[in-house]
Amino acid sequence: MSATVDQDKLVPLPDVGPLVEVKGPDAFGTDPARLWRLAYTLASTDFKLKFFGSFLGYIWQLLNPLLLFGVLFLVFSFGLSLDAGVKYFPVGLLLGIVLFSFFSEATNQAVRSLIAREPLVRKVDFPRLAVPLSSVLTSVFNLGLNLIPVFVFLLLSGAAPRWTWLWFPFVVAALILFAFGMAMVLSIGFVFFRDLEPIWSVVLQIMFYSSGVFFTLDAIATQQHGQLILDVLLSNPFAAIMSTARHVLIDPSWEAPWDAMSSPWLILIPTGLVVASLVVGVVLFRRQAPRVAEEL
């Protein structure tokens, strides 16, 4: 026996309008100030937790470059002689290591940053770009502390302040932008391609030994095909930025990259690569950010 339905008791459904596709969380969000506050909060929290429970706390961040410089000073002042006529070679070497340590730390942490924040990414709607940005900011905090011993040792070595020091913040800013561009590419790329982490580790090792951290540009120029080698090495944005930092901060005897290359116009290659890293990073992150949670 079939049941009958009283037509008078039926309640019409409300008109919900056409169906709209619901997209995942955006990369940048609608409020840039919220993006920055969130990234800064994540970065400052990670920075504080790094020294939580340590007796000396933040002093360790200063002791590391201090002890490193002591070793470098003994080795290159009384042992090896690789200065190639440039002034304050141990300080220049320390500056190169400090800058590379920042770039390596910022990008290495960014590779796994979205995976490390998986509970947050899955459950909270927030601008996804805050995650790799916080990794870079944490490294910027460490870089600021590590640069203090560099300036101290440079002055103790007899260097006098020069007007070119005014350019140094802009050089560091270029390095930060390059690290941020690569952080966006690596963080979003690792979500979809997990082999990216070991590949990037190898790239960093190659970059460390080929960027001139332990040698001067003059030492390469004297070798066979030295000019061609310099043009290739200085096409690497990090090598060009580090050489510029040594030139403007340490001493003019550290050759500028545009003077070391066969043509000053070749400096546009590393400059273009920095811009390209930012553009590619923004495009990839904006396109893939809504899919991050489902891919984790």
Side-chain angles (χ1 to χ4, degrees), residues 98-174:
V98 166
L99 294 181
F100 183 83
S101 297
F102 158 75
F103 183 77
S104 176
E105 178 187 9
T107 54
N108 265 329
Q109 290 183 355
V111 173
R112 283 187 167 270
S113 59
L114 290 171
I115 303 295
R117 305 280 185 183
E118 180 178 354
L120 185 65
V121 172
R122 283 184 176 272
K123 299 177 182 179
V124 181
D125 183 2
F126 68 97
R128 299 300 193 231
L129 188 62
V131 176
L133 179 57
S134 67
S135 299
V136 177
L137 283 178
T138 303
S139 301
V140 170
F141 297 156
N142 294 331
L143 175 63
L145 290 177
N146 288 337
L147 284 176
I148 294 176
V150 174
F151 278 93
V152 171
F153 284 125
L154 181 59
L155 294 174
L156 291 178
S157 298
R162 297 180 292 113
W163 69 269
T164 55
W165 284 18
L166 298 175
W167 288 106
F168 185 69
F170 297 98
V171 178
V172 174

Side-chain angles (χ1 to χ4, degrees), residues 5-252:
V5 179
D6 189 350
Q7 299 293 333
D8 296 334
K9 294 182 178 180
L10 292 178
V11 179
L13 294 175
D15 185 12
V16 296
L19 296 179
V20 179
E21 181 184 359
V22 178
K23 297 182 179 181
D26 188 72
F28 299 89
T30 58
D31 185 3
R34 178 172 179 257
L35 170 62
W36 175 257
R37 287 195 303 269
L38 180 58
Y40 180 81
T41 300
L42 292 174
S44 59
T45 301
D46 289 342
F47 184 74
K48 294 174 183 177
L49 289 176
K50 180 179 180 181
F51 301 101
F52 180 77
S54 173
F55 179 74
L56 295 178
Y58 300 121
I59 298 179
W60 278 115
Q61 197 65 38
L62 296 174
L63 285 178
N64 286 335
L66 286 173
L67 296 175
L68 178 60
F69 178 82
V71 174
L72 296 177
F73 181 80
L74 291 175
V75 171
F76 289 98
S77 295
F78 301 101
L80 300 177
S81 179
L82 302 175
D83 56 4
V86 297
K87 293 183 178 179
Y88 318 118
F89 183 78
V91 184
L93 181 58
L94 178 63
L95 176 62
I97 293 176
V98 166
L99 294 181
F100 183 83
S101 297
F102 158 75
F103 183 77
S104 176
E105 178 187 9
T107 54
N108 265 329
Q109 290 183 355
V111 173
R112 283 187 167 270
S113 59
L114 290 171
I115 303 295
R117 305 280 185 183
E118 180 178 354
L120 185 65
V121 172
R122 283 184 176 272
K123 299 177 182 179
V124 181
D125 183 2
F126 68 97
R128 299 300 193 231
L129 188 62
V131 176
L133 179 57
S134 67
S135 299
V136 177
L137 283 178
T138 303
S139 301
V140 170
F141 297 156
N142 294 331
L143 175 63
L145 290 177
N146 288 337
L147 284 176
I148 294 176
V150 174
F151 278 93
V152 171
F153 284 125
L154 181 59
L155 294 174
L156 291 178
S157 298
R162 297 180 292 113
W163 69 269
T164 55
W165 284 18
L166 298 175
W167 288 106
F168 185 69
F170 297 98
V171 178
V172 174
L175 180 59
I176 295 173
L177 290 176
F178 180 47
F180 180 49
M182 294 306 303
M184 288 189 288
V185 174
L186 293 169
S187 60
I188 200 68
F190 184 73
V191 174
F192 302 92
F193 184 60
R194 301 303 172 93
D195 291 334
L196 195 60
E197 184 177 30
I199 292 175
W200 183 245
S201 297
V202 174
V203 172
L204 284 177
Q205 292 181 20
I206 296 174
M207 186 180 296
F208 179 73
Y209 291 106
S210 65
S211 297
V213 175
F214 284 102
F215 55 83
T216 64
L217 300 181
D218 294 336
I220 297 296
T222 57
Q223 304 298 318
Q224 186 178 11
H225 307 297
Q227 188 59 65
L228 177 60
I229 296 174
L230 279 179
D231 290 342
V232 174
L233 294 184
L234 291 175
S235 295
N236 171 14
F238 174 77
I241 292 172
M242 181 187 64
S243 300
T244 305
R246 286 169 165 173
H247 178 74
V248 301
L249 180 65
I250 305 299
D251 192 79

Side-chain angles (χ1 to χ4, degrees), residues 227 230-232 234-235 240 257-258 260-272:
Q227 188 59 65
L230 279 179
D231 290 342
V232 174
L234 291 175
S235 295
W258 50 86
M261 302 175 91
S262 58
S263 171
W265 292 103
L266 290 178
I267 196 66
L268 294 177
I269 296 177
T271 303

Side-chain angles (χ1 to χ4, degrees), residues 282-295:
V282 168
V283 172
L284 284 178
F285 215 95
R286 182 185 293 274
R287 179 176 300 177
Q288 302 297 337
R291 298 175 50 199
V292 167
E294 64 187 54
E295 293 290 339

